[in-house]
Protein backbone atom coordinates (compact mmCIF):
# COMPACT_ATOMS: atom_id res chain seq x y z
CA UNK A 1 0.00 0.00 0.00
CA UNK A 2 1.31 3.43 -1.04
CA UNK A 3 0.60 5.05 2.31
CA UNK A 4 2.48 2.39 4.26
CA UNK A 5 5.33 1.72 1.83
CA UNK A 6 6.04 5.17 0.38
CA UNK A 7 4.85 7.53 3.11
CA UNK A 8 5.93 5.23 5.96
CA UNK A 9 2.76 5.83 7.97
CA UNK A 10 2.11 3.59 10.96
CA UNK A 11 -0.77 1.13 10.91
CA UNK A 12 -2.33 3.24 13.67
CA UNK A 13 -2.31 6.35 11.48
CA UNK A 14 -3.59 4.43 8.43
CA UNK A 15 -6.38 2.98 10.57
CA UNK A 16 -7.32 6.49 11.72
CA UNK A 17 -7.41 7.73 8.11
CA UNK A 18 -9.60 4.80 7.05
CA UNK A 19 -11.98 5.42 9.96
CA UNK A 20 -12.13 9.10 9.07
CA UNK A 21 -13.06 8.27 5.48
CA UNK A 22 -15.86 5.97 6.67
CA UNK A 23 -17.14 8.63 9.10
CA UNK A 24 -17.19 11.15 6.25
CA UNK A 25 -19.20 8.69 4.16
CA UNK A 26 -16.39 8.37 1.65
CA UNK A 27 -15.23 5.18 -0.01
CA UNK A 28 -12.70 6.77 -2.36
CA UNK A 29 -9.10 5.64 -2.12
CA UNK A 30 -8.18 8.94 -3.75
CA UNK A 31 -9.55 10.89 -0.79
CA UNK A 32 -7.61 8.67 1.60
CA UNK A 33 -4.46 9.32 -0.43
CA UNK A 34 -5.21 13.06 -0.56
CA UNK A 35 -5.42 13.22 3.22
CA UNK A 36 -2.30 11.07 3.61
CA UNK A 37 -0.27 13.18 1.16
CA UNK A 38 -1.38 16.36 2.88
CA UNK A 39 -0.26 15.02 6.27
CA UNK A 40 3.01 13.78 4.79
CA UNK A 41 3.74 17.18 3.22
CA UNK A 42 3.11 18.79 6.61
CA UNK A 43 5.55 16.36 8.24
CA UNK A 44 2.80 14.79 10.34
CA UNK A 45 3.17 11.10 11.14
CA UNK A 46 1.57 11.02 14.60
CA UNK A 47 -2.07 9.95 14.89
CA UNK A 48 -3.00 12.52 17.56
CA UNK A 49 -1.47 15.35 15.54
CA UNK A 50 -3.22 14.07 12.40
CA UNK A 51 -6.60 14.15 14.17
CA UNK A 52 -6.10 17.80 15.12
CA UNK A 53 -5.03 18.80 11.64
CA UNK A 54 -7.74 16.90 9.74
CA UNK A 55 -10.46 18.37 11.95
CA UNK A 56 -9.27 21.77 10.72
CA UNK A 57 -8.53 21.16 7.02
CA UNK A 58 -11.79 19.84 5.59
CA UNK A 59 -13.85 22.81 6.87
CA UNK A 60 -11.17 25.18 5.55
CA UNK A 61 -11.56 23.78 2.01
CA UNK A 62 -15.00 25.31 1.50
CA UNK A 63 -14.03 29.01 1.75
CA UNK A 64 -10.91 28.39 -0.35
CA UNK A 65 -12.97 26.87 -3.16
CA UNK A 66 -15.44 29.75 -2.94
CA UNK A 67 -12.46 32.07 -3.38
CA UNK A 68 -11.28 30.13 -6.44
CA UNK A 69 -14.64 30.96 -8.01
CA UNK A 70 -14.35 34.61 -7.07
CA UNK A 71 -17.22 34.34 -4.60
CA UNK A 72 -17.10 36.09 -1.26
CA UNK A 73 -20.56 35.08 -0.05
CA UNK A 74 -21.09 32.35 2.49
CA UNK A 75 -21.95 29.20 0.53
CA UNK A 76 -25.46 27.85 0.54
CA UNK A 77 -25.94 24.28 1.71
CA UNK A 78 -25.95 22.78 -1.81
CA UNK A 79 -22.65 24.50 -2.65
CA UNK A 80 -21.06 23.10 0.50
CA UNK A 81 -22.38 19.64 -0.36
CA UNK A 82 -20.87 19.90 -3.84
CA UNK A 83 -17.47 21.04 -2.56
CA UNK A 84 -17.36 18.23 -0.03
CA UNK A 85 -18.30 15.73 -2.76
CA UNK A 86 -15.39 16.93 -4.92
CA UNK A 87 -13.00 16.39 -2.03
CA UNK A 88 -14.47 13.45 -0.14
CA UNK A 89 -16.13 11.39 -2.86
CA UNK A 90 -14.15 12.30 -5.96
CA UNK A 91 -10.90 12.57 -3.99
CA UNK A 92 -9.63 15.71 -5.71
CA UNK A 93 -6.90 17.90 -4.29
CA UNK A 94 -7.41 21.63 -3.99
CA UNK A 95 -5.00 22.07 -6.93
CA UNK A 96 -7.29 20.12 -9.25
CA UNK A 97 -10.43 21.82 -7.95
CA UNK A 98 -8.77 25.19 -8.48
CA UNK A 99 -8.08 24.28 -12.12
CA UNK A 100 -11.75 23.43 -12.69
CA UNK A 101 -12.88 26.63 -10.95
CA UNK A 102 -10.46 28.70 -13.04
CA UNK A 103 -11.90 27.10 -16.16
CA UNK A 104 -15.41 28.09 -15.05
CA UNK A 105 -14.45 31.65 -14.15
CA UNK A 106 -12.38 32.33 -17.27
CA UNK A 107 -15.06 30.73 -19.42
CA UNK A 108 -17.60 33.18 -18.05
CA UNK A 109 -19.91 30.39 -16.95
CA UNK A 110 -22.98 31.71 -15.18
CA UNK A 111 -23.66 28.62 -13.07
CA UNK A 112 -20.09 28.00 -11.96
CA UNK A 113 -20.91 25.21 -9.53
CA UNK A 114 -22.77 23.10 -12.06
CA UNK A 115 -20.03 23.66 -14.61
CA UNK A 116 -17.28 22.69 -12.14
CA UNK A 117 -19.33 19.62 -11.15
CA UNK A 118 -19.50 18.57 -14.81
CA UNK A 119 -15.77 19.17 -15.35
CA UNK A 120 -14.71 17.31 -12.20
CA UNK A 121 -17.05 14.43 -12.93
CA UNK A 122 -15.45 14.11 -16.36
CA UNK A 123 -11.96 14.27 -14.87
CA UNK A 124 -12.90 11.63 -12.31
CA UNK A 125 -14.18 9.37 -15.09
CA UNK A 126 -10.86 9.86 -16.91
CA UNK A 127 -8.90 9.12 -13.70
CA UNK A 128 -7.31 12.56 -13.48
CA UNK A 129 -5.94 13.08 -9.98
CA UNK A 130 -2.81 15.17 -10.46
CA UNK A 131 -1.75 18.22 -12.42
CA UNK A 132 0.40 15.99 -14.64
CA UNK A 133 -2.66 13.80 -15.39
CA UNK A 134 -4.59 16.95 -16.28
CA UNK A 135 -1.80 18.25 -18.49
CA UNK A 136 -1.67 14.94 -20.39
CA UNK A 137 -5.47 14.95 -20.73
CA UNK A 138 -5.46 18.52 -22.08
CA UNK A 139 -2.62 17.69 -24.50
CA UNK A 140 -4.64 14.81 -25.91
CA UNK A 141 -7.46 17.21 -26.83
CA UNK A 142 -5.09 19.88 -28.17
CA UNK A 143 -3.78 17.48 -30.85
Amino acid sequence: MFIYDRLAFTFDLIDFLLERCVEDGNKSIHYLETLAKFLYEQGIKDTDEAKKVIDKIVPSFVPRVMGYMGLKDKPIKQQTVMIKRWILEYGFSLEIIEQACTKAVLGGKEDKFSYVETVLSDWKDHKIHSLSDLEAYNQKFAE
Side-chain angles (χ1 to χ4, degrees):
M1 180 180 213
F2 168 79
I3 298 169
Y4 179 75
D5 292 336
R6 302 270 306 275
L7 303 183
F9 279 15
T10 64
F11 285 118
D12 213 28
L13 182 51
I14 295 168
D15 185 53
F16 161 72
L17 291 173
L18 288 167
E19 285 178 13
R20 183 57 189 248
C21 288
V22 170
E23 286 173 13
D24 290 342
N26 183 9
K27 297 176 183 172
S28 169
I29 190 71
H30 298 295
Y31 178 65
L32 176 69
E33 289 176 352
T34 299
L35 287 179
K37 286 177 190 174
F38 175 81
L39 293 173
Y40 181 80
E41 289 167 1
Q42 302 300 312
I44 297 168
K45 292 191 175 187
D46 173 71
T47 304
D48 291 331
E49 179 94 17
K51 287 177 185 177
K52 291 176 192 171
V53 170
I54 287 178
D55 285 342
K56 291 179 184 175
I57 63 166
V58 173
S60 74
F61 285 176
V62 173
R64 288 174 72 182
V65 173
M66 294 295 285
Y68 296 156
M69 291 201 208
L71 302 172
K72 296 183 190 299
D73 299 332
K74 184 177 179 185
I76 62 172
K77 184 177 181 179
Q78 185 57 32
Q79 290 170 327
T80 301
V81 167
M82 291 173 88
I83 293 168
K84 286 184 177 180
R85 178 175 43 247
W86 302 337
I87 297 163
L88 301 174
E89 184 181 326
Y90 293 0
F92 285 120
S93 68
L94 286 175
E95 287 179 318
I96 296 294
I97 294 170
E98 182 179 16
Q99 293 298 312
C101 292
T102 299
K103 190 172 177 156
V105 170
L106 294 179
K109 301 301 179 187
E110 189 148 329
D111 186 356
K112 292 176 183 69
F113 274 86
S114 292
Y115 182 77
V116 171
E117 173 67 28
T118 300
V119 168
L120 291 176
S121 180
D122 178 62
W123 292 353
K124 178 181 71 88
D125 291 345
H126 286 91
K127 301 188 184 341
I128 295 168
H129 288 285
S130 69
L131 292 177
S132 60
D133 293 344
L134 182 57
E135 189 175 308
Y137 180 75
N138 288 336
Q139 285 285 20
K140 191 162 73 172
F141 284 102
E143 296 173 352

